[in-house]
Every structure is written in C-alpha cells, then in structure tokens.
C-alpha cells in the first residue's frame, strides 16, 4: 500500500502481557499490559526517543508567506433623502446574486445580511420600522425584529 512506511522507525509491541503465555519472536519486542501497566514506562521511553530522533532528522522547513484577502466590511450611512445606504462589496453581492421576487431567496438574503451584522449596524445607526434601506441598486424596507 505505502512502501515508504517500511523505511520508518517502528516498535514491535505485544499486549495483554498479564495473560499472554507465548513469547514474541523479535528479541527487541516489548510486552505491555494496560491492566498492570507492565512495560508501559519502557514503551513510552522508547517511543519518545524514536519521535525525538525522527524530528531531529527532518529538514528545517522553509518559511513561506500566506496571503489572505482583507476582510471585506460594510458601512451604513444616511443618504440625503433620509434613506439608509449599506455599502460594501460583500453586502452588495448578497443582494445582487439573489432573485428578490422569490420568497425563499429573500429570506436567504435576510439571513446572510443578519449574519454579516448589517441588521445590528442599521439598528445602532438609528434605523426605524419602515425606513428605506438601499443595498446597491435595490431598495428594501427596514423591519425591526424579523427573525
């Protein structure tokens, strides 16, 4: 299945040493008993040594740079005519990608905007029931407490 596993260090371990009657063929094999804890300290010591040796043999990793897009936020401002404008690429994309004539799609948009924090930001900015909210070219009516 994976031939490279044959080259890795390994330990041969037999369990149930408290009830086993047969000896292991490998002279380097360890025997353990979970019940009596027989051989556990030796096993953990050898395992720790193998892990330390394997880590020391690994080449040092080359540093690399991870580029992540900046978090896209949104802004809530009041237009001159008293309507609220939500601007920001992510909020505008949510509205633009949905068919707002479909009730399920409209519900999806409401949930997404709520998760983004748009509803909370509008409330903090002072939006009231019945206010017009513009997101991109779309106008919506603000309704408080819709869940």
């Amino acid at each position: 299945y994976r031939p490279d596993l044959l080259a890795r260090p390994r330990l041969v371990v037999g369990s149930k040493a408290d009830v086993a009657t047969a000896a292991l063929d490998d002279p380097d094999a360890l025997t353990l008993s979970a019940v009596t804890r027989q051989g556990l300290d030796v096993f953990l010591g050898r395992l720790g040594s193998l892990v330390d040796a394997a880590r020391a043999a690994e080449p040092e990793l080359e540093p690399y740079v991870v580029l992540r897009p900046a978090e896209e936020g949104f802004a809530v401002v009041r237009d001159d005519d008293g309507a609220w404008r939500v601007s920001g690429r992510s909020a505008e994309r949510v509205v633009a990608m949905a068919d707002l004539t479909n009730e399920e799609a409209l519900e999806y948009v409401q949930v997404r905007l709520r998760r983004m924090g748009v509803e909370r930001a509008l409330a903090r900015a002072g939006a009231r029931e019945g206010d017009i909210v513009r997101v991109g070219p779309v106008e919506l009516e603000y309704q408080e407490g819709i869940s």
Side-chain angles (χ1 to χ4, degrees):
Y1 172 67
R2 289 192 50 198
D4 61 312
L5 292 178
L6 293 173
R8 290 188 182 184
R10 61 185 163 269
L11 287 175
V12 177
V13 180
S15 63
K16 305 215 182 272
D18 55 323
V19 294
T21 56
L24 296 173
D25 292 338
D26 189 340
D28 293 329
L30 301 175
T31 55
L32 297 178
S33 170
V35 174
T36 64
R37 299 185 53 85
Q38 173 189 340
L40 194 58
D41 292 333
V42 174
F43 167 71
L44 291 175
R46 283 205 198 162
L47 185 62
S49 297
L50 285 174
V51 169
D52 289 342
R55 286 183 178 162
E58 285 183 6
E60 191 167 322
L61 297 175
E62 290 288 324
Y64 58 92
V65 176
V66 176
L67 300 175
R68 293 192 175 100
E71 191 69 33
E72 293 180 11
F74 62 89
V76 174
V77 294
R78 194 117 200 205
D79 284 344
D80 294 336
D81 63 355
W84 296 98
R85 171 147 322 266
V86 177
S87 58
R89 185 175 178 193
S90 54
E92 291 172 16
R93 179 181 288 156
V94 168
V95 173
M97 300 289 284
D99 173 15
L100 298 179
T101 61
N102 179 328
E103 192 171 319
E104 288 178 3
L106 183 58
E107 189 174 316
Y108 173 78
V109 168
Q110 289 172 335
V111 168
R112 287 288 309 269
L113 292 176
R114 185 176 307 114
R115 285 184 184 157
M116 291 172 57
V118 172
E119 184 178 298
R120 191 175 325 121
L122 282 165
R124 252 184 281 162
R128 299 286 176 241
E129 185 86 25
D131 284 355
I132 299 297
V133 177
R134 295 184 181 115
V135 184
V138 177
E139 286 191 0
L140 305 167
E141 183 178 323
Y142 181 76
Q143 295 181 355
E144 295 180 32
I146 292 193
S147 54

